[in-house]
mmCIF file of all heavy atoms in Angstrom:
data_model
loop_
_atom_site.group_PDB
_atom_site.id
_atom_site.type_symbol
_atom_site.label_atom_id
_atom_site.label_comp_id
_atom_site.label_asym_id
_atom_site.label_seq_id
_atom_site.Cartn_x
_atom_site.Cartn_y
_atom_site.Cartn_z
ATOM 1 N N ALA V 31 21.007 -38.577 -18.630
ATOM 2 C CA ALA V 31 22.213 -38.563 -19.458
ATOM 3 C C ALA V 31 22.072 -37.586 -20.628
ATOM 4 O O ALA V 31 23.037 -37.222 -21.266
ATOM 5 C CB ALA V 31 22.510 -39.948 -19.997
ATOM 6 N N LYS V 32 20.853 -37.182 -20.914
ATOM 7 C CA LYS V 32 20.598 -36.264 -22.032
ATOM 8 C C LYS V 32 20.097 -34.932 -21.483
ATOM 9 O O LYS V 32 19.848 -34.777 -20.295
ATOM 10 C CB LYS V 32 19.540 -36.864 -22.961
ATOM 11 C CG LYS V 32 19.954 -38.199 -23.578
ATOM 12 C CD LYS V 32 18.904 -38.612 -24.590
ATOM 13 C CE LYS V 32 19.252 -39.977 -25.170
ATOM 14 N NZ LYS V 32 18.206 -40.433 -26.101
ATOM 15 N N GLU V 33 19.912 -33.974 -22.362
ATOM 16 C CA GLU V 33 19.346 -32.681 -22.008
ATOM 17 C C GLU V 33 17.897 -32.877 -21.563
ATOM 18 O O GLU V 33 17.089 -33.431 -22.298
ATOM 19 C CB GLU V 33 19.398 -31.798 -23.270
ATOM 20 C CG GLU V 33 19.132 -30.356 -23.050
ATOM 21 C CD GLU V 33 19.210 -29.654 -24.399
ATOM 22 O OE1 GLU V 33 20.043 -30.028 -25.238
ATOM 23 O OE2 GLU V 33 18.416 -28.730 -24.599
ATOM 24 N N ARG V 34 17.529 -32.457 -20.324
ATOM 25 C CA ARG V 34 16.213 -32.713 -19.788
ATOM 26 C C ARG V 34 15.198 -31.671 -20.266
ATOM 27 O O ARG V 34 15.425 -30.474 -20.091
ATOM 28 C CB ARG V 34 16.290 -32.679 -18.255
ATOM 29 C CG ARG V 34 15.208 -33.536 -17.610
ATOM 30 C CD ARG V 34 15.283 -33.493 -16.112
ATOM 31 N NE ARG V 34 16.658 -33.675 -15.644
ATOM 32 C CZ ARG V 34 17.003 -33.678 -14.363
ATOM 33 N NH1 ARG V 34 16.096 -33.516 -13.430
ATOM 34 N NH2 ARG V 34 18.257 -33.841 -14.012
ATOM 35 N N PRO V 35 14.050 -32.081 -20.857
ATOM 36 C CA PRO V 35 13.068 -31.093 -21.319
ATOM 37 C C PRO V 35 12.175 -30.632 -20.178
ATOM 38 O O PRO V 35 12.081 -31.270 -19.136
ATOM 39 C CB PRO V 35 12.268 -31.845 -22.348
ATOM 40 C CG PRO V 35 12.322 -33.258 -21.903
ATOM 41 C CD PRO V 35 13.627 -33.446 -21.175
ATOM 42 N N GLN V 36 11.487 -29.540 -20.377
ATOM 43 C CA GLN V 36 10.671 -28.875 -19.366
ATOM 44 C C GLN V 36 9.327 -28.548 -20.010
ATOM 45 O O GLN V 36 9.265 -28.240 -21.201
ATOM 46 C CB GLN V 36 11.414 -27.581 -18.976
ATOM 47 C CG GLN V 36 11.015 -26.954 -17.693
ATOM 48 C CD GLN V 36 11.743 -27.562 -16.496
ATOM 49 O OE1 GLN V 36 12.876 -28.021 -16.627
ATOM 50 N NE2 GLN V 36 11.087 -27.591 -15.355
ATOM 51 N N GLU V 37 8.234 -28.585 -19.249
ATOM 52 C CA GLU V 37 6.940 -28.220 -19.808
ATOM 53 C C GLU V 37 6.641 -26.752 -19.474
ATOM 54 O O GLU V 37 6.957 -26.277 -18.377
ATOM 55 C CB GLU V 37 5.839 -29.120 -19.241
ATOM 56 C CG GLU V 37 4.585 -29.110 -20.128
ATOM 57 C CD GLU V 37 3.503 -30.052 -19.615
ATOM 58 O OE1 GLU V 37 3.697 -30.664 -18.551
ATOM 59 O OE2 GLU V 37 2.453 -30.159 -20.276
ATOM 60 N N ALA V 38 6.012 -26.039 -20.408
ATOM 61 C CA ALA V 38 5.744 -24.623 -20.190
ATOM 62 C C ALA V 38 4.557 -24.192 -21.032
ATOM 63 O O ALA V 38 4.143 -24.899 -21.957
ATOM 64 C CB ALA V 38 6.963 -23.795 -20.563
ATOM 65 N N GLU V 39 4.009 -23.001 -20.698
ATOM 66 C CA GLU V 39 2.911 -22.453 -21.492
ATOM 67 C C GLU V 39 3.411 -21.219 -22.233
ATOM 68 O O GLU V 39 4.124 -20.382 -21.670
ATOM 69 C CB GLU V 39 1.747 -22.075 -20.576
ATOM 70 C CG GLU V 39 0.527 -21.631 -21.384
ATOM 71 C CD GLU V 39 -0.712 -21.435 -20.522
ATOM 72 O OE1 GLU V 39 -0.777 -22.008 -19.405
ATOM 73 O OE2 GLU V 39 -1.600 -20.682 -20.956
ATOM 74 N N VAL V 40 3.026 -21.093 -23.493
ATOM 75 C CA VAL V 40 3.453 -19.953 -24.298
ATOM 76 C C VAL V 40 2.636 -18.725 -23.889
ATOM 77 O O VAL V 40 1.410 -18.772 -23.883
ATOM 78 C CB VAL V 40 3.257 -20.244 -25.793
ATOM 79 C CG1 VAL V 40 3.571 -19.014 -26.624
ATOM 80 C CG2 VAL V 40 4.121 -21.420 -26.215
ATOM 81 N N VAL V 41 3.317 -17.616 -23.541
ATOM 82 C CA VAL V 41 2.588 -16.405 -23.149
ATOM 83 C C VAL V 41 2.786 -15.245 -24.131
ATOM 84 O O VAL V 41 2.040 -14.278 -24.094
ATOM 85 C CB VAL V 41 2.966 -15.955 -21.719
ATOM 86 C CG1 VAL V 41 2.488 -16.992 -20.692
ATOM 87 C CG2 VAL V 41 4.447 -15.725 -21.573
ATOM 88 N N ALA V 42 3.792 -15.344 -25.002
ATOM 89 C CA ALA V 42 3.963 -14.320 -26.035
ATOM 90 C C ALA V 42 4.781 -14.910 -27.174
ATOM 91 O O ALA V 42 5.696 -15.700 -26.946
ATOM 92 C CB ALA V 42 4.665 -13.081 -25.464
ATOM 93 N N VAL V 43 4.451 -14.506 -28.384
ATOM 94 C CA VAL V 43 5.092 -15.068 -29.569
ATOM 95 C C VAL V 43 5.596 -13.926 -30.446
ATOM 96 O O VAL V 43 4.872 -12.967 -30.692
ATOM 97 C CB VAL V 43 4.091 -15.944 -30.369
ATOM 98 C CG1 VAL V 43 4.718 -16.466 -31.635
ATOM 99 C CG2 VAL V 43 3.595 -17.104 -29.514
ATOM 100 N N GLY V 44 6.843 -14.012 -30.885
ATOM 101 C CA GLY V 44 7.405 -13.005 -31.786
ATOM 102 C C GLY V 44 6.736 -13.038 -33.144
ATOM 103 O O GLY V 44 5.987 -13.970 -33.452
ATOM 104 N N PRO V 45 7.014 -12.028 -33.981
ATOM 105 C CA PRO V 45 6.357 -11.933 -35.291
ATOM 106 C C PRO V 45 6.900 -12.944 -36.303
ATOM 107 O O PRO V 45 6.348 -13.089 -37.380
ATOM 108 C CB PRO V 45 6.673 -10.507 -35.734
ATOM 109 C CG PRO V 45 7.952 -10.161 -35.030
ATOM 110 C CD PRO V 45 7.901 -10.881 -33.708
ATOM 111 N N GLY V 46 7.985 -13.662 -35.932
ATOM 112 C CA GLY V 46 8.590 -14.608 -36.875
ATOM 113 C C GLY V 46 9.855 -14.038 -37.459
ATOM 114 O O GLY V 46 10.001 -12.823 -37.626
ATOM 115 N N ALA V 47 10.810 -14.903 -37.761
ATOM 116 C CA ALA V 47 12.068 -14.474 -38.356
ATOM 117 C C ALA V 47 11.831 -14.011 -39.786
ATOM 118 O O ALA V 47 10.873 -14.426 -40.430
ATOM 119 C CB ALA V 47 13.068 -15.628 -38.334
ATOM 120 N N ILE V 48 12.701 -13.128 -40.274
ATOM 121 C CA ILE V 48 12.641 -12.719 -41.674
ATOM 122 C C ILE V 48 13.767 -13.425 -42.417
ATOM 123 O O ILE V 48 14.938 -13.259 -42.094
ATOM 124 C CB ILE V 48 12.775 -11.194 -41.805
ATOM 125 C CG1 ILE V 48 11.533 -10.537 -41.209
ATOM 126 C CG2 ILE V 48 12.938 -10.791 -43.277
ATOM 127 C CD1 ILE V 48 11.566 -9.031 -41.201
ATOM 128 N N ILE V 49 13.379 -14.283 -43.368
ATOM 129 C CA ILE V 49 14.372 -15.041 -44.130
ATOM 130 C C ILE V 49 14.174 -14.740 -45.605
ATOM 131 O O ILE V 49 13.064 -14.852 -46.131
ATOM 132 C CB ILE V 49 14.238 -16.548 -43.828
ATOM 133 C CG1 ILE V 49 14.612 -16.791 -42.358
ATOM 134 C CG2 ILE V 49 15.133 -17.365 -44.752
ATOM 135 C CD1 ILE V 49 14.431 -18.216 -41.919
ATOM 136 N N ASP V 50 15.248 -14.331 -46.272
ATOM 137 C CA ASP V 50 15.166 -13.930 -47.686
ATOM 138 C C ASP V 50 14.067 -12.905 -47.916
ATOM 139 O O ASP V 50 13.322 -12.982 -48.895
ATOM 140 C CB ASP V 50 14.935 -15.158 -48.586
ATOM 141 C CG ASP V 50 16.165 -16.047 -48.635
ATOM 142 O OD1 ASP V 50 17.262 -15.541 -48.364
ATOM 143 O OD2 ASP V 50 16.028 -17.228 -48.951
ATOM 144 N N GLY V 51 13.951 -11.967 -46.966
ATOM 145 C CA GLY V 51 13.010 -10.880 -47.149
ATOM 146 C C GLY V 51 11.559 -11.207 -46.841
ATOM 147 O O GLY V 51 10.694 -10.351 -46.926
ATOM 148 N N LYS V 52 11.274 -12.465 -46.450
ATOM 149 C CA LYS V 52 9.887 -12.827 -46.123
ATOM 150 C C LYS V 52 9.800 -13.254 -44.665
ATOM 151 O O LYS V 52 10.640 -13.988 -44.168
ATOM 152 C CB LYS V 52 9.422 -13.992 -47.010
ATOM 153 C CG LYS V 52 9.134 -13.583 -48.436
ATOM 154 C CD LYS V 52 8.766 -14.811 -49.260
ATOM 155 C CE LYS V 52 9.422 -14.739 -50.629
ATOM 156 N NZ LYS V 52 9.668 -16.054 -51.215
ATOM 157 N N ARG V 53 8.735 -12.823 -44.003
ATOM 158 C CA ARG V 53 8.564 -13.210 -42.612
ATOM 159 C C ARG V 53 7.965 -14.611 -42.554
ATOM 160 O O ARG V 53 6.994 -14.911 -43.241
ATOM 161 C CB ARG V 53 7.644 -12.205 -41.897
ATOM 162 C CG ARG V 53 7.743 -12.302 -40.384
ATOM 163 C CD ARG V 53 6.931 -11.234 -39.706
ATOM 164 N NE ARG V 53 7.474 -9.897 -39.810
ATOM 165 C CZ ARG V 53 8.418 -9.400 -39.015
ATOM 166 N NH1 ARG V 53 8.947 -10.164 -38.083
ATOM 167 N NH2 ARG V 53 8.852 -8.170 -39.173
ATOM 168 N N CYS V 54 8.580 -15.487 -41.739
ATOM 169 C CA CYS V 54 8.088 -16.856 -41.585
ATOM 170 C C CYS V 54 7.050 -16.910 -40.471
ATOM 171 O O CYS V 54 7.287 -16.396 -39.381
ATOM 172 C CB CYS V 54 9.235 -17.782 -41.205
ATOM 173 S SG CYS V 54 10.521 -17.838 -42.442
ATOM 174 N N ASP V 55 5.934 -17.551 -40.752
ATOM 175 C CA ASP V 55 4.906 -17.715 -39.714
ATOM 176 C C ASP V 55 5.447 -18.549 -38.558
ATOM 177 O O ASP V 55 6.241 -19.451 -38.745
ATOM 178 C CB ASP V 55 3.676 -18.432 -40.301
ATOM 179 C CG ASP V 55 2.931 -17.529 -41.260
ATOM 180 O OD1 ASP V 55 3.129 -16.307 -41.194
ATOM 181 O OD2 ASP V 55 2.164 -18.048 -42.089
ATOM 182 N N MET V 56 4.973 -18.240 -37.363
ATOM 183 C CA MET V 56 5.357 -19.006 -36.184
ATOM 184 C C MET V 56 4.468 -20.244 -36.085
ATOM 185 O O MET V 56 3.324 -20.237 -36.541
ATOM 186 C CB MET V 56 5.216 -18.133 -34.935
ATOM 187 C CG MET V 56 6.153 -16.938 -34.926
ATOM 188 S SD MET V 56 7.898 -17.402 -34.773
ATOM 189 C CE MET V 56 8.008 -17.696 -33.005
ATOM 190 N N GLU V 57 4.979 -21.296 -35.484
ATOM 191 C CA GLU V 57 4.215 -22.540 -35.379
ATOM 192 C C GLU V 57 3.540 -22.708 -34.024
ATOM 193 O O GLU V 57 2.681 -23.560 -33.858
ATOM 194 C CB GLU V 57 5.126 -23.741 -35.659
ATOM 195 C CG GLU V 57 5.794 -23.653 -37.036
ATOM 196 C CD GLU V 57 6.283 -25.004 -37.509
ATOM 197 O OE1 GLU V 57 5.544 -25.997 -37.363
ATOM 198 O OE2 GLU V 57 7.411 -25.066 -38.001
ATOM 199 N N VAL V 58 3.947 -21.908 -33.048
ATOM 200 C CA VAL V 58 3.273 -21.994 -31.748
ATOM 201 C C VAL V 58 2.447 -20.723 -31.541
ATOM 202 O O VAL V 58 2.696 -19.702 -32.165
ATOM 203 C CB VAL V 58 4.294 -22.137 -30.585
ATOM 204 C CG1 VAL V 58 5.058 -23.441 -30.714
ATOM 205 C CG2 VAL V 58 5.235 -20.959 -30.526
ATOM 206 N N LYS V 59 1.432 -20.808 -30.669
ATOM 207 C CA LYS V 59 0.631 -19.608 -30.404
ATOM 208 C C LYS V 59 0.431 -19.488 -28.888
ATOM 209 O O LYS V 59 0.631 -20.449 -28.129
ATOM 210 C CB LYS V 59 -0.698 -19.671 -31.147
ATOM 211 C CG LYS V 59 -1.525 -20.895 -30.827
ATOM 212 C CD LYS V 59 -2.812 -20.920 -31.631
ATOM 213 C CE LYS V 59 -3.724 -22.001 -31.063
ATOM 214 N NZ LYS V 59 -3.070 -23.334 -30.991
ATOM 215 N N VAL V 60 0.006 -18.309 -28.464
ATOM 216 C CA VAL V 60 -0.213 -18.067 -27.040
ATOM 217 C C VAL V 60 -1.208 -19.097 -26.505
ATOM 218 O O VAL V 60 -2.236 -19.366 -27.135
ATOM 219 C CB VAL V 60 -0.726 -16.630 -26.814
ATOM 220 C CG1 VAL V 60 -1.133 -16.423 -25.367
ATOM 221 C CG2 VAL V 60 0.368 -15.627 -27.209
ATOM 222 N N GLY V 61 -0.877 -19.701 -25.386
ATOM 223 C CA GLY V 61 -1.758 -20.689 -24.793
ATOM 224 C C GLY V 61 -1.280 -22.123 -25.001
ATOM 225 O O GLY V 61 -1.652 -23.028 -24.266
ATOM 226 N N ASP V 62 -0.453 -22.338 -26.039
ATOM 227 C CA ASP V 62 0.094 -23.677 -26.285
ATOM 228 C C ASP V 62 0.924 -24.142 -25.096
ATOM 229 O O ASP V 62 1.677 -23.364 -24.503
ATOM 230 C CB ASP V 62 1.011 -23.665 -27.527
ATOM 231 C CG ASP V 62 0.230 -23.727 -28.823
ATOM 232 O OD1 ASP V 62 -0.994 -23.938 -28.772
ATOM 233 O OD2 ASP V 62 0.849 -23.548 -29.891
ATOM 234 N N LYS V 63 0.759 -25.418 -24.749
ATOM 235 C CA LYS V 63 1.668 -26.025 -23.792
ATOM 236 C C LYS V 63 2.771 -26.706 -24.581
ATOM 237 O O LYS V 63 2.498 -27.434 -25.543
ATOM 238 C CB LYS V 63 0.928 -27.016 -22.900
ATOM 239 C CG LYS V 63 0.070 -26.262 -21.883
ATOM 240 C CD LYS V 63 -0.562 -27.140 -20.863
ATOM 241 C CE LYS V 63 -1.503 -26.268 -20.008
ATOM 242 N NZ LYS V 63 -2.403 -27.085 -19.195
#
Side-chain angles (χ1 to χ4, degrees):
Chain V
K32 299 186 183 177
E33 192 181 324
R34 207 180 314 180
Q36 198 85 30
E37 200 177 3
E39 186 172 338
V40 174
V41 294
V43 177
I48 292 177
I49 294 176
D50 290 337
K52 286 176 221 153
R53 197 175 288 277
C54 299
D55 289 341
M56 296 292 280
E57 303 200 44
V58 296
K59 57 182 192 306
V60 172
D62 280 352
K63 286 187 186 166

